[in-house]
Amino acid sequence: MNTPLNLDETERLKSLSEYEILDTPPQQVFDDLTDLAAVICDTPMALISFVDADRQWFKSKVGTTLSETKREDSICLHTIKSKEMLVIENVSTDSRFSNNLLVTGYPKIKFYAGAPLISEKGYALGSLCVLDFQPRKLSEVQTRLLKVLAGQVMQNLELRRLQKVRFAKVNIMNDMASVIAHEINNPLTIINSHATLIAVSLEQEMFNQKFVVESAKKIINAVKRISKIITNLKEISLGERTVAVEEVRLVDLIDESISYCKERVDEHQI
């Protein structure tokens, strides 16, 4: 049975999922911080722990082979509940944890100190904690540095999230650029082909007024299409894009589509 934290638990879990950190492989930057925490606090165990809906998952670990535990067995759950540094000098004598499986069984924890990992939105996602197999204390300097390291964990986590967002935006921009290039390339092909045909017919004195008029109309329509695409892009960039209902003749739409296809087919001599 899951232990509730507060009324914001749904939002906290949503915030945790936004970082896309759960079940990711080890990363040196986080392992270095975990190692440093263990060295500074002189403890055999250190963890970067994230509390999910039904489990506690370890992004980085020192001194244990566990990769996760049940949520109800998580001592870090109490750290994120208070959003404050939690130090328990003798876990086995604390009524909250005396029957905890991590205390009575492997790895038989006796000491716990955890600094909460607070997101930019103010949610406690987990903790950077150090543990020992015997009761002990932390000095003021060790306590302060553990908090500093927890802040470094979140800074790296935030940087990782921003990099993923930027990468996604770049992919979106690349996709948009491809679509825009395709949309503009079609009318440009029409303009180029008909302008060329008009120039050739005039140079060779094969002037055909009807042909020139029809070609000129196609060039004008192609220019209008490009202009419309550019106008739409400007509206989108300014956040003014609205969905406008426009009446069109289906036969004109079909003719235009066939015309675009024909120009590309002719261009490639198919």
Side-chain angles (χ1 to χ4, degrees), residues 36-266:
L36 191 55
V39 171
I40 289 173
C41 297
D42 192 25
T43 57
M45 284 183 64
L47 304 166
I48 293 178
S49 165
F50 294 100
V51 179
D52 199 5
D54 56 4
R55 60 174 176 156
Q56 171 184 237
W57 179 78
F58 305 138
K59 171 62 180 175
S60 181
K61 56 194 176 183
V62 170
T64 181
T65 58
L66 293 174
S67 59
E68 63 180 57
T69 68
K70 292 181 180 179
R71 176 182 166 117
E72 55 263 33
D73 295 331
S74 169
I75 300 177
C76 293
L77 187 65
H78 295 266
T79 301
I80 67 172
K81 184 176 181 179
S82 66
K83 295 185 180 180
E84 299 289 341
M85 181 80 180
L86 177 63
V87 179
I88 308 173
E89 296 178 0
N90 191 341
V91 179
S92 61
T93 60
D94 191 307
S95 60
R96 295 172 296 177
F97 311 110
S98 56
N99 294 321
N100 188 295
L101 292 179
L102 300 178
V103 177
T104 59
Y106 177 82
K108 292 193 174 182
I109 296 168
K110 290 293 188 295
F111 169 80
Y112 171 92
L117 302 175
I118 308 295
S119 71
E120 284 195 346
K121 294 181 179 179
Y123 296 108
L125 308 180
S127 75
L128 171 61
C129 61
V130 292
L131 308 100
D132 204 338
F133 310 125
Q134 59 186 7
R136 57 167 303 149
K137 296 181 179 181
L138 287 186
S139 68
E140 290 185 8
V141 172
Q142 288 173 322
T143 300
R144 185 167 69 251
L145 289 177
L146 188 60
K147 292 179 181 179
V148 171
L149 291 177
Q152 289 295 312
V153 171
M154 281 309 305
Q155 285 185 22
N156 280 281
L157 198 64
E158 188 65 29
L159 178 61
R160 180 181 178 278
R161 185 183 70 83
L162 291 175
Q163 288 174 337
K164 292 178 72 68
V165 170
R166 291 193 185 103
F167 181 75
K169 286 183 178 179
V170 168
N171 285 340
I172 291 172
M173 291 302 296
N174 287 340
D175 291 341
M176 287 183 63
S178 177
V179 171
I180 292 168
H182 177 74
E183 287 297 316
I184 292 180
N185 191 53
N186 281 337
L188 282 177
T189 300
I190 290 177
I191 293 173
N192 180 65
S193 60
H194 283 280
T196 300
L197 289 173
I198 291 174
V200 170
S201 65
L202 292 175
E203 286 176 356
Q204 297 180 359
E205 297 182 354
M206 298 170 56
F207 182 77
N208 183 312
Q209 183 176 357
K210 182 179 180 182
F211 167 75
V212 172
V213 170
E214 288 298 321
S215 292
K217 286 182 178 179
K218 289 183 178 181
I219 291 174
I220 292 171
N221 288 334
V223 171
K224 287 181 178 179
R225 183 177 179 85
I226 293 175
S227 177
K228 186 175 182 179
I229 292 171
I230 293 173
T231 299
N232 290 341
L233 288 174
K234 286 182 178 179
E235 290 177 351
I236 291 172
S237 67
L238 296 174
E240 299 174 353
R241 180 66 175 150
T242 57
V243 179
V245 177
E246 181 181 351
E247 184 176 331
V248 297
R249 295 177 66 240
L250 183 57
V251 66
D252 292 339
L253 188 62
I254 294 173
D255 285 344
E256 182 182 30
S257 300
I258 292 175
S259 175
Y260 286 149
C261 292
K262 183 178 184 302
E263 299 299 332
R264 295 303 296 276
V265 169
D266 291 345

